[in-house]
């Protein structure tokens, strides 16, 4: 009996390896019976999470089974060196959850997708919600089902439970790699005979280390946000959950986030600042629990309610929320796309938030009230446009939805310093967690606009510097862990210099390439020659000799290696009018340059993320030693959690407190309003 079920499992495994590369039935479910959190998951002691089991019965395709999915599967949990395996419901002293059933489909490969022959899968499932493990050690979860046995090894990390820092400020340069930092240093800082005369603020951090950004091979900002904020790796597009195969994007098994644990344990206040639309993945990951980062309206609602909804305590939503993305706030009557068609400015106001819609009103926000600052439709304008080419601000993107120009937008530094003021006042010494994201490093790298990307990287550096100075002055630096990291990277690098005048004067594409100088012909950075108007930023954004910058993979585009003065760049366009959905070189972009044929699929309009490692800088002070060496992105979560004393040392698995009267909403019903 045992032998034959093992054989079955082995057969399923063989079949899988042939078909599960580009497309996967469910990334975390290599066999037909699976456990979420999956094998190799690490937990903070006391961190709440959901468990989901899925049994898959493909009706056709390469893994087709001739039987319906098992309805009588069992899940047991056993701690190494502890008592023998116990049924999961007994282990967590919870009711047996009801059996769920659904069906989903997937394509096994590109041929199946072209032929439109999806594989249909029937599923049985159960979810145990809101449980925690409080005894450090190794655990084995064993799923026994008609097709065999699936085992997941979990580790509850054994960590120091004492609190070493009051606050954490986490800066995220979205998509920022060490290559970009190197290029930005050459843009903003002079060197004489190869010796830099000034440095980035980042260069002064004593522990620059490397972290692996990889989870599903190439990561997006959603699953890396999940890893940084929860210590659990997830799938692309998932925030604070393990993606399951069910229809609802809101019933996936959740894991508790650092913002939620910190609020629950210490009453800490949470701040979220980003130069992106605020429903984007890196900010949204601090409060949302959904498999689909594109559920923007729901992500915004979660800033108001999610912390409360997860822990079922009376903790309120985030205290500070500054960024773009007004279209998820103003109501549909003005063209907004909001959760349940509500006016979210009104929703926030009703819960006591004061509102700012430009830099001037941001600076005069009271420090003792919760604050919402939404400054534009979509992303905020970048540093280069705000400071060097302000003509480009005329975009009709005012945050009230009235389509007037936002001519007084704040930058990352303005928002971050104000957020700190509010969090310091409102946390009353209980601590705060602030995430501040330089989002357009990533966004402008995607559109191959390297000047705008690196300008925002220098703005991040300037913000870090101003933050350190501020905390030094008010005496809270010693209580505050400051980290600077990235969530993933792009294949960006600089390989020489370009004489843009020579390039412009050549006729043919091949002749133009003669303007590129490599090795000894690259010369030195011309960006910092002359008087710097703003310390740490280029003196001249438009020198004759520029960087020969590029991405490793790209769509069709043209390069002239000059700053795009007329506004953010669009390298490739879709000739829809001519009946094509493919992307071709934008005939209006970099017209003096030469055409570079793309290497990406022709449906791709922009550059994409790459495999590269990204840096982590930890400021000296509390817990610096927790961030040295080369490590995984989840370790940043565990480092921050250890520093804040978020780990618990208890004795066994516990079900979340949901005694009568405390329970606000159960999780897991097939409706996002109900978790
Ligand atoms: C698969 O599920 C569908 C609907 O959920 C059901 O109608 C069908 O009978 C199931 N098929 C098998 C083989 O279990
Ligand atoms: C599986 O069955 C569905 C429904 O009959 C069909 O549309 C699909 O093409 C089949 N897929 C394969 C891989 O045969
Ligand atoms: C800034 O916003 C306030 C109201 O929020 C408004 O009264 C003021 O005119 C705005 N200032 C600018 C420069 O747009
Ligand atoms: C190269 O780019 C040009 C301009 O977009 C396009 O017409 C051509 O088809 C491309 N060639 C390949 C091999 O993709
Ligand atoms: C998304 C969600 O479920 N939000 C709810 C969280 O809890 C508050 C207070 O109970 C509800 O009003 C929200 O609808
Ligand atoms: Zn990106």
């Amino acid at each position: 009996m045992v032998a034959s079920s093992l054989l079955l499992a082995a057969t399923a495994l063989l079949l899988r390896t042939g078909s599960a590369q580009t497309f996967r039935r469910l990334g975390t479910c290599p066999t037909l019976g699976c456990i979420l959190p999956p094998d190799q998951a690490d937990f903070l002691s006391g961190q709440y999470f959901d468990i989901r089991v899925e049994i898959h019965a493909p009706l056709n395709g390469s893994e087709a089974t001739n039987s319906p999915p098992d309805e009588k599967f069992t899940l047991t949990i056993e701690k190494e060196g502890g008592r023998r395996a116990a049924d999961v419901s007994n282990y967590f002293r919870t009711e047996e959850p009801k059996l769920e059933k659904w069906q989903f489909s997937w394509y096994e490969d590109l041929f199946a997708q072209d032929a439109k022959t999806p594989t249909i899968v029937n599923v049985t499932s159960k979810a145990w919600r809101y449980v925690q493990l409080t005894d450090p050690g190794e655990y084995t979860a064993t799923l026994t089902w008609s097709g065999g046995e699936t085992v997941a090894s979990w580790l509850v990390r054994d960590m120091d439970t004492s609190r070493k820092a009051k606050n954490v400020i986490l800066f995220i340069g979205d998509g920022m790699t060490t290559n970009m930092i190197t290029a930005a240093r050459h843009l903003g800082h002079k060197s004489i005979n190869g010796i830099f005369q000034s440095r980035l603020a980042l260069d002064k951090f004593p522990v620059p280390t490397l972290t692996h950004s990889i989870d599903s091979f190439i990561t997006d900002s959603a699953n890396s946000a999940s890893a940084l904020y929860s210590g659990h790796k997830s799938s692309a597009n998932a925030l604070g959950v393990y993606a399951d195969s069910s229809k609802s994007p809101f019933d996936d098994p959740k894991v508790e986030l650092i913002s939620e644990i910190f609020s629950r344990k210490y009453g800490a206040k949470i701040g979220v600042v980003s130069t992106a639309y605020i429903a984007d993945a890196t900010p949204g990951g601090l409060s949302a629990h959904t498999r689909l980062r594109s559920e923007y309206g729901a992500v915004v609602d979660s800033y108001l309610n999610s912390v409360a909804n997860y822990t079922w305590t009376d903790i309120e939503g985030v205290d500070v929320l500054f960024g773009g993305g007004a279209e998820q706030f103003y109501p549909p009557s003005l063209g907004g796309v909001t959760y349940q068609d509500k006016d979210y400015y009104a929703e926030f106001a009703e819960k006591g938030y004061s509102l700012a819609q430009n830099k001037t009103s941001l600076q005069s926000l009271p420090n003792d009230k919760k604050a919402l600052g939404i400054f534009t439709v979509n992303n905020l304008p970048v540093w280069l446009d705000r400071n060097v080419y302000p003509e480009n601000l005329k975009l009709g993107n005012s945050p009230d939805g009235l389509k007037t120009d936002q001519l007084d937008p704040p930058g990352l530094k303005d928002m971050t310093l104000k957020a700190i003021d509010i969090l310091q006042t409102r946390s009353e010494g209980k601590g705060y967690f602030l995430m501040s994201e330089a989002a357009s490093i990533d966004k402008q790298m995607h559109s191959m606009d390297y000047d705008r990307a690196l300008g925002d990287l220098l703005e991040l550096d300037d913000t870090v510097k101003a933050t350190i100075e501020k905390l030094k002055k008010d005496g809270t630096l010693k209580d505050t862990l400051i980290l600077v990291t990235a969530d993933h990277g792009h294949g960006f690098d600089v390989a020489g210099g370009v004489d843009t005048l020579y390039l412009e004067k050549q006729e043919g594409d091949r002749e133009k390439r003669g303007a590129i100088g490599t090795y000894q012909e690259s010369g030195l950075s011309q960006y910092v020659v002359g008087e710097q108007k703003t310390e740490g930023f280029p003196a001249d954004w438009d020198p004759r000799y520029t960087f020969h910058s590029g991405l490793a993979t790209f769509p069709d585009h043209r390069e002239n290696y000059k700053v795009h003065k007329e506004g953010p760049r669009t390298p490739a366009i879709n000739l829809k009018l001519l009946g094509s959905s493919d992307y071709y070189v934008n005939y209006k972009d970099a017209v003096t340059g030469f055409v570079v044929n793309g290497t990406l699929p022709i449906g791709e309009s922009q550059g994409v993320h790459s495999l590269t490692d990204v840096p982590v800088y930890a400021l000296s002070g509390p817990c610096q030693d927790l961030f040295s060496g080369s490590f995984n992105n989840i370790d940043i979560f565990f480092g921050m959690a250890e520093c804040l004393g978020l780990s618990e040392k208890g004795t066994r698995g516990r079900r979340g407190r949901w005694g009568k009267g405390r329970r606000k909403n159960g999780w897991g019903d097939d409706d996002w309003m109900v978790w």
Side-chain angles (χ1 to χ4, degrees), residues 327-340:
E327 64 275 31
Q328 270 87 50
F329 288 83
Y330 52 72
S333 57
L334 289 170
V337 188
T338 60
Y339 185 59
Q340 294 184 343

Side-chain angles (χ1 to χ4, degrees), residues 343-364:
D343 176 342
Y344 269 83
Y345 288 130
E347 296 286 310
F348 275 76
E350 202 174 292
K351 289 217 169 171
Y353 287 77
S354 52
L355 177 67
Q357 297 198 315
N358 55 39
K359 182 167 150 182
T360 312
S361 59
L362 167 74
Q363 278 157 351
S364 58

Side-chain angles (χ1 to χ4, degrees), residues 4-22:
S4 74
S5 56
L6 279 178
L7 191 66
L8 260 174
T11 317
L13 200 71
L14 277 177
L15 283 169
R16 173 182 65 91
T17 46
S19 63
Q21 182 59 23
T22 310

Side-chain angles (χ1 to χ4, degrees), residues 549-582:
S549 324
L551 292 182
T553 54
F554 36 76
D556 291 354
H557 66 289
R558 207 189 279 105
E559 280 301 352
N560 66 356
Y561 303 101
K562 280 175 80 75
V563 64
H564 295 252
K565 294 182 192 167
E566 59 299 330
R569 169 174 200 199
T570 305
I573 51 165
N574 183 316
L575 303 176
K576 255 201 195 104
L577 288 176
L578 301 177
S580 167
S581 58
D582 305 339

Side-chain angles (χ1 to χ4, degrees), residues 222-236:
N223 70 84
S224 49
S226 300
L228 291 171
Y229 303 152
S230 76
H232 290 263
K233 295 202 176 230
S234 189
S235 324

Side-chain angles (χ1 to χ4, degrees), residues 63-275:
E63 300 171 301
T65 54
N66 291 316
S67 48
D70 189 2
E71 299 186 4
K72 300 215 162 70
F73 55 85
T74 59
L75 181 69
T76 60
I77 298 204
E78 182 175 18
K79 179 166 189 291
E80 195 182 287
R83 292 174 308 132
R84 64 190 177 81
D87 173 77
V88 65
S89 299
N90 290 337
Y91 196 88
F92 292 110
R93 300 197 183 110
T94 172
E95 283 163 37
E96 186 68 16
K98 71 175 196 312
L99 186 76
E100 299 171 61
K101 293 186 193 183
W102 64 77
Q103 190 178 73
F104 73 97
S105 67
W106 67 295
Y107 290 114
E108 295 197 9
D109 60 17
L110 291 163
F111 295 110
Q113 180 174 265
D114 287 349
K116 299 199 169 55
T117 51
T119 297
I120 314 291
V121 184
N122 276 17
V123 182
T124 48
S125 175
K126 279 184 186 177
W128 290 264
R129 305 279 179 184
Y130 200 54
V131 298
Q132 61 176 175
L133 293 166
T134 55
D135 197 9
E138 293 194 34
Y139 291 77
T140 306
T142 307
L143 169 65
T144 310
W145 51 296
S146 57
E149 226 176 59
T150 303
V151 174
S153 297
W154 293 340
L155 175 69
V156 175
R157 293 201 190 183
D158 194 1
M159 300 185 344
D160 186 357
T161 56
S162 67
R163 183 172 176 185
K164 294 158 212 76
K166 258 197 182 134
N167 319 307
V168 170
I169 301 178
L170 173 65
F171 288 103
I172 298 182
D174 203 299
M176 178 176 72
T177 66
T178 49
N179 296 5
M180 295 173 201
I181 293 168
T182 309
R185 186 185 296 114
H186 282 274
L187 281 179
H189 296 272
K190 278 182 198 160
S191 79
I192 297 175
N193 293 330
I195 306 297
F196 277 99
Q197 303 301 298
S198 59
R199 291 192 294 172
L200 294 167
L202 293 186
D203 292 333
K204 294 169 195 154
F205 276 61
V207 191
T209 62
L210 286 178
T211 181
H212 298 279
S213 67
I214 319 149
D215 27 341
S216 60
F217 187 1
I218 300 293
T219 178
D220 78 326
S221 293
N223 70 84
S224 49
S226 300
L228 291 171
Y229 303 152
S230 76
H232 290 263
K233 295 202 176 230
S234 189
S235 324
N237 300 320
L239 295 171
V241 296
Y242 282 103
D244 66 20
S245 71
S246 75
K247 193 155 160 275
S248 166
F250 300 110
D251 73 345
D252 305 57
K254 301 171 176 64
V255 288
E256 199 178 18
L257 306 167
I258 190 153
S259 42
E260 295 166 327
I261 304 169
F262 196 19
S263 309
R264 171 168 65 77
K265 273 199 83 152
Y266 295 110
K269 300 297 185 190
I270 309 301
V272 177
V273 168
S274 176
T275 54

